Amino acid sequence: MGETKTINRTGLVLQGGGAVSAFTYGALLRLLEDNRINIHATAGASGGGINSLCIAAGRNNTERAQLLHRLWDNIALDTMPMRHLSDYPFIHDVFRWPNIPALEGLLADKVMKAEVPYLQECLRNALNNTLTPEFWSHVRSGKTKLFVNAAEELPNGELKNHPIPQEEMRAKYAIGTAALDFMGAVKHKGKTLRDGAYVCNPDMSGIEQEDLTDIIAITLHGAPKKSVIAEAQQETARLNPTFRRNAAVKKAEIHGHLTHLLDQEERTFKLHEIAFIAPRHYRDSARLNNSREHITLLRDQGYAAADKWLKENRHLLGRADTYTAPANVIRSKRQLRVA
């Protein structure tokens, strides 16, 4: 007898990670091939928010996959920064591909104060070249629930979470979720918006209210090397203005949110994770390397990771949690909820 088909109501939680969000692109391609996964909602910030747009825009899984292919084809560049240096084993990690050595010093310090709004235009064009007005209309229709957040910069310089209303979603507003500091802020209705991952990567407060059988989180930052309390980045930002450079907080935060979901006694969904594990030599500049070679490599790795996860856990969809928090992430005593 054949396998009984059970259609699950699946939600996606997509962490942002710059160019590494191409790993999510590949993982999504594999998930979209599975007939047990019926996506009803998606939440994302930064690159995760951009990928989420394609999920919300597509009217079926075939269309969603086509849009993801088109988006990343528009994002990828036919350049290979420093690729040739990887052939020499004695080269220091900072010079190893896909790192971009010229950016390392700028990213490590606060030297990178200059804003390049042209990069906003490139992202906006990539979105509009991917999503026609008909697709944008489908995004706004809410048939697939979409939860994308940006960071609103207040007059005193503090950042607060800013959910972008689905019914108002357009390219010029949507790019606020991915507006890194050096890209410049996005202005919308008198508000100054920056990359949503600066406050919450991503905001799960909306998707956890949906009627779902499963939530699959695709994480891109790994786990911190040392024990760290999982705090919401919004709280960390309030206490420590230099938080954007705190890699441990970035890595721990999403696991704090996921463990709080696990603790919900009345939840109806099961929780899962597909994780990107960065090679030891990956540095921050690699996350800005959108060369076609890097994008293709990450896409293939994401597809393989999702395929492996499905082979091992597909039978547990709707039945059991497969997510386990990293041992060195300490749960915060405060509830991780953003304003």
Side-chain angles (χ1 to χ4, degrees):
M1 295 181 65
E3 177 184 2
T4 300
K5 290 185 179 179
T6 302
I7 302 299
N8 291 4
R9 296 174 59 87
T10 305
L12 301 173
V13 168
L14 308 182
Q15 191 177 31
V20 178
S21 294
F23 174 91
T24 303
Y25 155 41
L28 291 174
L29 292 180
R30 179 62 187 94
L31 294 178
L32 291 170
E33 294 174 353
D34 194 286
N35 60 10
R36 284 198 63 189
I37 295 177
N38 189 15
I39 300 171
H40 280 254
T42 178
S46 195
I50 300 301
N51 277 325
S52 289
L53 289 169
C54 293
I55 299 300
R59 289 162 290 196
N60 53 60
N61 284 354
T62 299
E63 209 165 66
R64 288 163 169 165
Q66 291 171 345
L67 291 174
L68 285 165
H69 282 307
R70 193 182 306 168
L71 171 68
W72 284 95
D73 187 58
N74 282 315
I75 290 175
L77 297 176
D78 292 314
T79 57
M80 295 176 285
M82 307 302 292
R83 182 68 180 93
H84 63 287
L85 291 180
S86 294
D87 297 332
Y88 299 93
F90 56 83
I91 292 295
H92 190 276
D93 280 353
V94 72
F95 293 104
R96 291 191 183 280
W97 185 89
N99 298 327
I100 305 174
L103 291 181
E104 283 297 331
L106 300 178
L107 292 171
D109 200 357
K110 295 183 179 179
V111 179
M112 204 163 183
K113 293 180 179 179
E115 295 184 350
V116 189
Y118 168 73
L119 296 175
Q120 276 190 38
E121 182 180 348
C122 291
L123 181 56
R124 184 167 57 248
N125 288 341
L127 280 174
N128 280 329
N129 288 336
T130 300
L131 303 179
T132 63
E134 181 182 5
F135 284 125
W136 281 112
S137 178
H138 196 261
V139 169
R140 293 189 291 272
S141 74
K143 292 182 179 178
T144 300
K145 294 296 182 182
L146 176 67
F147 303 95
V148 172
N149 63 291
E152 180 185 348
E153 185 173 331
L154 303 178
N156 63 2
E158 290 186 5
L159 299 177
K160 64 175 288 189
N161 190 50
H162 178 88
I164 300 177
Q166 183 169 3
E167 64 274 12
E168 297 180 21
M169 198 69 71
R170 290 170 175 78
K172 63 181 180 181
Y173 195 1
I175 60 173
T177 189
L180 294 165
D181 283 344
F182 63 84
M183 295 171 63
V186 170
K187 303 291 185 179
H188 183 77
K189 294 185 177 180
K191 298 183 184 298
T192 299
L193 304 180
R194 297 192 182 274
D195 193 300
Y198 290 150
V199 290
C200 193
N201 191 9
D203 178 5
M204 302 181 202
S205 59
I207 198 169
E208 69 180 69
Q209 303 301 320
E210 293 296 310
D211 179 21
L212 303 170
T213 59
D214 297 274
I215 289 180
I216 301 175
I218 302 179
T219 61
L220 303 178
H221 291 276
K225 296 179 180 179
K226 298 180 180 180
S227 295
V228 61
I229 296 176
E231 295 276 19
Q233 290 192 64
Q234 185 177 9
E235 177 65 12
T236 307
R238 187 181 68 79
L239 299 174
N240 178 13
T242 63
F243 83 105
R244 295 184 202 180
R245 311 298 173 186
N246 191 329
V249 171
K250 291 180 182 179
K251 292 180 177 182
E253 181 208 31
I254 191 169
H255 296 291
H257 285 289
L258 292 175
T259 52
H260 275 288
L261 293 185
L262 281 179
D263 289 341
Q264 292 183 6
E265 295 181 359
E266 302 299 323
R267 65 185 171 95
T268 59
F269 56 82
K270 303 304 179 184
L271 194 58
H272 317 280
E273 178 191 19
I274 299 172
F276 170 71
I277 307 300
R280 185 185 63 84
H281 70 278
Y282 257 51
R283 300 172 71 92
D284 282 348
S285 66
R287 296 180 181 273
L288 299 178
N289 183 344
N290 61 323
S291 66
R292 195 168 301 278
E293 183 180 11
H294 191 211
I295 297 303
T296 300
L297 173 68
L298 290 164
R299 179 202 65 197
D300 293 347
Q301 289 177 344
Y303 186 97
D307 184 63
K308 181 176 184 294
W309 185 88
L310 283 167
K311 288 176 179 176
E312 295 175 352
N313 300 293
R314 185 176 184 270
H315 64 290
L316 296 174
L317 284 168
R319 297 181 179 179
D321 299 306
T322 63
Y323 169 75
T324 303
N328 54 354
V329 173
I330 304 170
R331 301 188 191 193
S332 171
K333 294 182 180 179
R334 291 190 291 269
Q335 187 172 1
L336 279 125
R337 186 172 291 277
V338 291

